[in-house]
Amino acid sequence: MIHPSAVIEDGASLGEGVRIGPFCHIGKDAKIGDGVEMKSHVVVAGDTTIGARTVIFPFASLGHQPQDLKYRGEPASLTIGSDCLIREGVTMNPGTEGGGGTTTVGDRCAFLANSHVGHDSHIGNNVVMSNNVMIAGHVTVGDHVIFGGGSAVIQFTRIGDHAFVGGLAGLENDLIPFGMVTGNRARLGGLNLVGLKRRNFPREQIHALRSAYRDLFESDEGTLRDRAQKLAATVGEEPLVQQVLDFILVEGDRRFCTPRGPQGD
């Protein structure tokens, strides 16, 4: 079902059961999966792939050239997973040569009005970005992460699985898995216990994670990396704690987001 006012350029690939509403524009290199619905006034440009059953609302702009002044027209792509919800005014940019050339979005994500995904960023599965969330370039977001309205993430930041970024937070450092941040600039405010309980993590795993959090962030012995290495030697096979330690012990481009106070600084 394609509205007569929609423009579908020669070469675009459309899956079965696609519905393209009024005044949409689909570029020649776009690949639209089965059952995708575009309400109206949606623009899909460049080498952009949209997964099956994704629903896109008016004035979303997907795949136009990245907002990077170093971009010189090199090949770049944007890949969006299946069963996503993309609301009004959302923008997503493809990658750049300097960042690997691709931007990726996982399955079952929700992007509310006017949220933005910058070039060379990689968004996991089941991520929710509330209204006006801004993700800069080269950001990596894990699975099941939730962003409150108006929050912003600086380039090259990593955000671990099941983290929560509070509304209007300005995140400029790496956020551990299961962590929760608030404020501008954002500081670590504890664990995302609400998210852990909602996703039915076992009580004993949550208790182990809380104990590890205290060891990591409520001690002033050594650096955070020192404390993580010490804990890694004694934690055993506890999976949630190990996930946090792996995140900390990998070299990143940013410092870690920590609580206020001397133990975090």
Side-chain angles (χ1 to χ4, degrees), residues 18 27-28 39 74 86 90 125 138 143 149 154 191 201 205 213 235 239 257 261 263:
V18 167
K28 63 182 179 63
K39 299 291 187 180
E74 64 268 19
I86 300 174
V90 169
N125 301 311
H138 308 278
D143 297 338
I154 199 169
L191 295 171
F201 282 97
Q205 289 187 356
Y213 181 92
V235 72
C257 191
Q263 69 274 17

Side-chain angles (χ1 to χ4, degrees), residues 155-178:
Q155 61 265 29
F156 295 101
T157 300
R158 298 181 300 142
I159 300 175
D161 294 349
H162 301 278
F164 180 86
V165 180
L168 300 179
L171 182 60
E172 58 183 359
N173 295 307
D174 288 351
L175 174 56
I176 61 169
F178 314 104

Side-chain angles (χ1 to χ4, degrees), residues 199-210:
R199 296 183 188 109
N200 298 313
F201 282 97
R203 181 183 297 272
E204 58 272 17
Q205 289 187 356
I206 295 176
H207 285 328
L209 193 59
R210 295 179 73 173

Side-chain angles (χ1 to χ4, degrees), residues 108 125-128 142-147 160-165 177-179 191-203 205-206 240:
R108 300 174 300 279
N125 301 311
N126 301 292
V127 170
V128 177
D143 297 338
H144 296 282
V145 177
I146 296 178
F147 295 85
D161 294 349
H162 301 278
F164 180 86
V165 180
F178 314 104
L191 295 171
N192 182 16
L193 296 175
V194 172
L196 287 163
K197 292 173 182 176
R198 283 178 177 173
R199 296 183 188 109
N200 298 313
F201 282 97
R203 181 183 297 272
Q205 289 187 356
I206 295 176
L240 301 192

